[in-house]
Each structure stands twice: as C-alpha cells, then as structure tokens.
Amino acid sequence: MTETARHDQTPDLEDFPYRLTDNVRFGDLDPNQHVNNAVYATYFETGRVTLMKDPRHGLTREGLAWIMVRLDMHFRAELRWPGTIELGLGVVKLGRTSVTCEQVVFSEARCVASATAVMVLIDEATRRPTPLPAGLIEALRPWSRRGVAITKPVA
C-alpha cells in the first residue's frame, strides 16, 4: 500500500506497535475550546521521544543523536478537554541515515490526527548525517507498522 493510500484511510490504532497514553491539558486549548493545531506536534514528539530515549529499546547510541527533518500532520477531528489520548507509532521506512514513522492520536477510539515524521541520525561531534548502524536497524524492526516490512536501507 502506498503512503498516499494509507493517509486516505482511517488508521487503526492496532497497526501501531508502540503506544502510550497521555492527557489533554487545559493549556492545550485555543480560543475555539479545542486542542490547538500546534499542540499536535507536541503530542507526536512525546510519542517519538518516549520510544527513542527509552534505554530498554536500544534506539539511542553514544555519540549519535536523532533530529527531526520533516513532520506532515493530518487533522481528522476536533479534540477537546478534558480527556485522555492514545498515541501510536510505527516505523514505515528506513533510509541510509533516516527513519520514517507514521504516528496517530486517538481519543475515545477515534483517530483525531495522524502524521508522518522523518528523523535523521547525526554524529553529535560533526553534526552531519551518519548511516544507520546494523544493530540500530535490528532494534527498529519490532516497531514496524503492521503490514509494513522494514528492509535494510540501500547503501
């Protein structure tokens, strides 16, 4: 299935192997009394950073860092306070130096937003992109979105 086709379909939370719960905060609201569009970037960041920085998963390596290079968001429904949200993340593509993830925000079993995020691995000393190490590629495999086969990037 193509990326465009996936974005045209309503995502299923079960397709995203990494999930966590968060709260909608009163401060997330705009004057229209729904969650402000800019806040969704923070929700998506919470999902990515919580996964990537957890040492149990082996996705952060000494001397290397992840930087965000692209975030495409699709707003699907209003989200209001109070409430809880479920965040989902699945890896859909590996590049030579990058990882592409699809992410979702669900509220009351309804997808309210989705995004595609591209992160690049850099060398902290040079601040330049660096190839994904083989061990890191293996550590990313369990986080593959259901229905997407992660293959080794072409050198």
Side-chain angles (χ1 to χ4, degrees):
M1 182 176 297
T2 67
E3 185 173 333
T4 302
R6 280 196 303 266
H7 286 295
D8 290 342
Q9 296 177 353
T10 302
D12 180 351
L13 186 59
E14 298 305 312
D15 290 342
F16 298 85
Y18 186 73
R19 292 190 291 273
L20 69 148
T21 302
D22 201 357
N23 292 312
V24 176
R25 292 167 271 300
F26 179 77
D28 295 346
L29 304 181
D30 64 15
N32 295 317
Q33 298 303 303
H34 62 222
V35 171
N36 184 278
N37 63 307
V39 173
Y40 287 91
T42 302
Y43 294 159
F44 292 127
E45 177 185 56
T46 296
R48 287 188 311 276
V49 171
T50 303
L51 172 64
M52 302 306 273
K53 295 284 188 180
D54 187 329
R56 295 175 297 173
H57 305 310
L59 300 175
T60 302
R61 303 293 167 97
E62 185 71 32
L64 303 175
W66 292 105
I67 61 168
M68 173 63 57
V69 298
R70 184 175 182 117
L71 180 63
D72 294 323
M73 296 186 288
H74 180 177
F75 304 105
R76 296 171 176 271
E78 285 186 307
L79 180 58
R80 297 188 178 276
W81 174 86
T84 58
I85 53 176
E86 293 179 84
L87 308 174
L89 180 148
V91 175
V92 295
K93 182 180 176 186
L94 298 178
R96 191 179 71 80
T97 63
S98 66
V99 174
T100 302
C101 300
E102 289 183 359
Q103 297 184 257
V104 290
V105 176
F106 273 72
S107 175
E108 299 176 357
R110 181 179 183 195
C111 184
V112 296
S114 58
T116 301
V118 181
M119 300 172 291
V120 170
L121 188 64
I122 63 167
D123 180 291
E124 287 182 321
T126 66
R127 307 304 290 175
R128 303 292 305 154
T130 189
L132 301 177
L136 184 57
I137 292 169
E138 287 307 311
L140 287 163
R141 288 191 196 285
W143 308 113
S144 175
R145 182 177 172 181
R146 183 169 66 180
V148 176
I150 296 180
T151 59
K152 184 176 178 181
V154 178

